[in-house]
Amino acid sequence: MSPAPEPRVLLAVTFYNGREFARRTMESISRLDHEGFVLDVLVLDDASPEPGFSEHLAELAREVGAIYYRSPRNLGIPRNVNLGLATAQSLGYDYVVISNSDVIYSENSVRLLLDALRSYPQAASATAWSTNVEPYSLPCGAELYLETQPVADLIGAALEQRFGPEIIDIPAGISFAMMVPVAVLPAVGLMDPVFGRGYGEESDWSARASNAGFRHLLVKGSYVFHAGRGSTLAAGLVSRTDIADWTNQHIVEHRSPMFRWDVDGFLRSGVLDDVKPEAVSAIIRRAAAHNGYVLLDGSRDWEDIDPSLVQVVIRSQTDEMCTAHWSGFTTEIDTDTGRTVAAVSAYFAGEAPVYTNIPAATWEGAAQFGYPAGL
């Protein structure tokens, strides 16, 4: 018996301008792990108006072996996304990823999305964790985030190690990096062009899929960084102070009156509130294991710190409460009074800090009774 053919996945990345992040995005996509499946990339340029950008993007696509297509006129986000969906359908792909252009994929992200959909054939979409993708954003001070491939890969590895193939049922997928089985498209359809230049189309699509009996999955081990508003800001859909254009939500609510209730019920369930701290803790532990960590007493002077290191700061000398910080992520570390250094080391699997501004203990009983950092 001949082996089953490998699944075919089309990753369709939609652009409207974006010179400042186009190369980073395309290089990130070119590094994706696709062991066990065929991955092709389609770059959809929605008639970007910046002089010379389309030629630049076409060259980037050629460099990474992607197919490039430029629309003869601006279509808007829903129609541009539909080009990707319809192409995957007409060319016989098994799955299609709808991707924004201002993203950094962790190396394992698409593989994990595919594994989830293959494990749950009744699902219509699989979405990754991210930044700037509410409500599926991991809590992060985005202004502190290091927008690099190594950071995204480290986060992806940490989440896969912690959660493996685990999923959460969610009310809607978000098409910044959403994988869809092509087989659901005849029943659910494409994005509706009634949403014009964009916003709300994936909510409407998700509601239609749910009404048809399909599920939507958040894949807990998958991560894709999203800068946010890359194309929509360039297209004038939002301003620098707005996160979205909510006008189109009235269409969604008119068509699917229960959609808002489903979303509100999901958010009130606390499912994400329970998982997000676990995810952040796993990320910070992985960063410390990979890069090292420093332990700082905030009341003392310290040297300049390499931003790749996890910074553990003692917030209170009385209770010796600690917080750990890395690349915008923050978590608390439980410590026992008098044994702060030991507790922090235990949190990081027994590893010692690569630097601390806490002076060494001089009291003979420190080893037995602990060493309060403020002593």
Side-chain angles (χ1 to χ4, degrees), residues 117 120-125 169-172 180-189 205-217:
L117 289 178
Y120 298 91
Q122 70 276 39
S125 73
D169 276 287
I170 55 179
V180 173
V182 174
V184 309
L185 295 178
V188 181
W205 186 91
S206 295
R208 284 188 277 128
S210 298
N211 292 338
F214 294 104
R215 300 165 62 184
H216 302 287
L217 312 177

Side-chain angles (χ1 to χ4, degrees), residues 9 32 64 112 201 266 322 325 327 332 370:
V9 178
L32 283 167
V64 302
L112 290 163
E201 69 277 0
F266 172 74
C322 292
H325 311 265
S327 196
E332 292 194 4

Side-chain angles (χ1 to χ4, degrees), residues 317-321 334-340 343 369-373:
Q317 291 186 351
T318 302
D319 300 319
E320 301 200 2
M321 301 169 63
D334 291 332
T335 59
D336 295 325
T337 301
R339 298 186 178 274
T340 303
F369 298 104
Y371 174 38

